[in-house]
Amino acid sequence: MHDPYRAPAATPARPPVLPTAPVSFATSTAAVYYSPSTMKIAALSLATLGLYPLYWFWQNWRAIKRETGGSQWPWARALFSPIWAFFCFGDLRDIAQSRRRQLAFAPGLLALMFFLLNFAGRLPNGGALLSLFTFVPLLPVNSLLRRYHLDEKVDLQRMDRFGVWHILVLLAGGGLLLLAILAFVVGEVD
């Protein structure tokens, strides 16, 4: 007969089940330089009207300082990036050459192109629009860093993701850029 008031029979104790959290293991101990996807560089550079390359330089100067133990100020070198671009490109090229990767263009040529595109912002009329493309000289160096990271098995997904702030900057800056281009085109028609 079944007694509803009797204590239930003891069951064997099971170990508690802990929730599993995603575990992130570093796939490499190699130096991590800032090398987001080409689309991210281009989109954010255009949306920030050319300020994103300063961030790219700042991140990579921080990585160079961390690896070399130098005394440089990454923020100052990023702020004056048209002057320091040659040294940054050269240092990053040397790092990649240690893994037998070659830069497609000479660092001096890329630095000169970066300097001239920055200077183009002072040109009259539509010439100032050329300064929007200051990110173009970064692309060969960034591509070299991405190949270096792939060789070293560094996870690039974190750098490639567009976060909330990136999307907000793209929406606000992209809208501002479209308005500026529209105003320029309408001004030329009149």
Side-chain angles (χ1 to χ4, degrees):
M1 182 165 244
H2 176 54
D3 184 7
Y5 300 107
R6 185 172 50 165
T11 58
R14 289 187 343 198
V17 177
L18 299 174
T20 58
V23 179
S24 173
F25 293 106
T27 57
S28 175
T29 59
V32 178
Y33 297 92
Y34 190 65
S35 60
S37 67
T38 301
M39 171 140 154
K40 188 173 182 179
I41 289 178
L44 288 172
S45 293
L46 291 171
T48 60
L49 304 176
L51 291 178
Y52 190 72
L54 297 178
Y55 179 75
W56 186 91
F57 275 107
W58 176 66
Q59 286 284 20
N60 281 310
W61 275 118
R62 284 178 54 207
I64 291 169
K65 180 179 180 176
R66 186 174 48 247
E67 288 303 308
T68 63
S71 61
Q72 63 265 41
W73 295 346
W75 65 268
R77 293 208 177 179
L79 185 63
F80 299 106
S81 58
I83 297 168
W84 289 100
F86 172 75
F87 298 104
C88 183
F89 294 160
D91 287 351
L92 295 174
R93 178 205 54 199
D94 294 343
I95 289 161
Q97 276 182 341
S98 70
R99 293 289 176 199
R100 290 175 280 181
R101 292 288 182 187
Q102 295 297 322
L103 184 59
F105 300 97
L109 178 66
L110 294 173
L112 178 65
M113 189 173 155
F114 184 73
F115 181 81
L116 291 175
L117 285 170
N118 274 289
F119 184 73
R122 296 182 178 8
L123 294 175
N125 300 330
L129 292 176
L130 286 174
S131 66
L132 290 175
F133 298 100
T134 56
F135 67 91
V136 172
L138 305 180
L139 297 179
V141 179
N142 194 65
S143 175
L144 180 70
L145 289 175
R146 289 182 71 80
R147 286 181 298 187
Y148 168 78
H149 285 148
L150 289 175
D151 287 347
E152 295 295 323
K153 307 220 181 334
V154 174
D155 182 24
L156 294 173
Q157 289 180 349
R158 196 179 106 231
M159 283 185 254
D160 293 346
R161 275 194 310 248
F162 281 89
V164 173
W165 287 109
H166 296 123
I167 293 169
L168 291 174
V169 165
L170 285 173
L171 291 174
L176 183 64
L177 178 63
L178 287 175
L179 286 174
I181 291 172
L182 182 64
F184 176 76
V185 170
V186 169
E188 288 293 316
V189 172
D190 291 336

